[in-house]
């Protein structure tokens, strides 16, 4: 069992929380208003705790960033001390909203949110993954007719091994996980988000992932 803190309690954060809790992990959802979040997510799982984001980051062994990507850098930089020495799993994409609320242009063209986070948090091991799919696929890769891919990017090999184990708890088989290399490779997977809004506009909000076919 690992003590996992999830920053952000939207669809991504609550989906991950429910599955990781069911897998036996101790999960805390960190939000700006923990009482409001607890009320909105009542019945999600009895073992899930709620706290403010600073407390969540400080008390967790491993932290997942599920905050909106366009504001993640500022939020997490403010938690530098709390995140020191820990693994930070970044599943967010930093994009600008369009008029219909779907992802737009990248906030960090030529770089990535993951790279920015690693530079701002030098004592934290940032690992990028699960950002190339809709939230429901993150915890149920077998719902797609075509096997999806979970890409990994990060500078620390041990941190990536730990995250690979965590992906296993979410239902990801080893052959579906593709380690791309260091944190700079995250700019490739973050750019993949640019295709998603076009697909959603044509086909609606259905499970999808941007995957590697061999």
């Amino acid at each position: 069992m690992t003590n996992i803190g999830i920053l952000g309690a939207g669809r991504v954060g609550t989906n991950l929380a429910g599955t990781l809790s069911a897998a036996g992990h101790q999960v805390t959802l960190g939000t700006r208003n923990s009482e409001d979040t607890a009320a909105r997510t009542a019945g999600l799982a009895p073992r899930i705790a709620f706290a403010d984001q600073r407390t969540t980051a400080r008390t967790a062994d491993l932290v997942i960033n599920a905050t909106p990507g366009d504001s993640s850098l500022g939020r997490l930089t403010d938690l530098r001390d709390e995140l020191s020495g820990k693994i930070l799993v970044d599943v967010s994409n930093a994009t600008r909203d369009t008029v219909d609320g779907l992802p737009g242009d990248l906030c960090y063209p030529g770089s990535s949110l993951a790279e920015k986070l690693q530079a701002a948090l030098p004592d934290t091991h940032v690992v990028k993954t699960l950002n190339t799919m809709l939230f429901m696929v993150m915890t149920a890769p077998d719902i797609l007719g075509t096997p999806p891919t979970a890409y990994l990017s990060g500078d620390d090999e041990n941190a990536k091994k730990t995250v690979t184990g965590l992906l296993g708890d979410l239902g990801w088989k080893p052959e579906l996980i593709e380690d791309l290399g260091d944190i700079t490779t995250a700019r490739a997977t973050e750019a993949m988000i640019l295709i998603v809004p076009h697909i959603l506009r044509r086909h609606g909000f259905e499970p999808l992932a941007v995957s590697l076919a061999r």
Side-chain angles (χ1 to χ4, degrees):
M1 181 181 71
T2 302
N3 186 347
I4 298 173
I6 300 178
L7 304 180
R11 290 178 297 188
V12 173
T14 54
N15 185 45
L16 290 170
T19 302
L20 290 171
S21 177
H25 297 287
Q26 181 179 337
V27 178
T28 301
L29 270 174
T31 69
R32 290 180 171 179
N33 187 332
S34 57
E35 292 182 359
D36 174 66
T37 300
R40 287 190 295 104
T41 57
L44 178 63
R47 294 193 302 273
I48 295 175
F50 299 89
D52 62 85
Q53 293 188 351
R54 191 172 301 278
T55 300
T56 299
R58 185 179 66 250
T59 57
D61 301 319
L62 178 148
V63 178
I64 298 174
N65 173 39
T67 64
D70 60 349
S71 62
S72 290
L73 184 58
R75 295 189 197 204
L76 273 64
T77 299
D78 190 48
L79 302 175
R80 177 183 294 186
D81 291 342
E82 289 78 7
L83 293 170
S84 179
K86 299 180 180 180
I87 296 173
L88 175 66
V89 184
D90 178 30
V91 303
S92 295
N93 288 304
T95 60
R96 307 183 194 283
D97 283 344
T98 58
V99 292
D100 56 4
L102 293 177
D105 293 335
L106 298 174
C107 292
Y108 308 112
S111 185
S112 64
L113 172 60
E115 290 173 83
K116 297 290 186 181
L117 288 171
Q118 187 60 84
L121 305 168
D123 298 322
T124 302
H125 305 302
V126 179
V127 178
K128 189 81 180 191
T129 192
L130 296 179
N131 62 305
T132 54
M133 63 201 70
L134 294 189
F135 73 93
M136 65 286 283
V137 182
M138 294 179 177
T139 58
D142 57 350
I143 66 174
L144 297 180
T146 302
T149 304
Y151 304 98
L152 279 179
S153 299
D155 292 336
D156 188 274
E157 295 301 321
N158 289 328
K160 286 193 287 187
K161 288 180 181 178
T162 297
V163 175
T164 297
L166 198 67
L167 289 175
D169 290 340
L170 294 172
W172 291 87
K173 298 175 182 178
E175 60 268 24
L176 300 180
I177 301 171
E178 188 74 22
D179 186 344
L180 298 178
D182 66 27
I183 200 66
T184 64
T185 63
R187 68 182 65 179
T189 60
E190 289 191 26
M192 291 179 184
I193 192 64
L194 296 177
I195 196 174
V196 172
H198 305 298
I199 296 173
L200 294 181
R201 291 187 184 102
R202 289 182 61 86
H203 300 286
F205 198 77
E206 298 178 351
L208 66 86
V210 183
S211 301
L212 176 65
R214 298 181 189 270

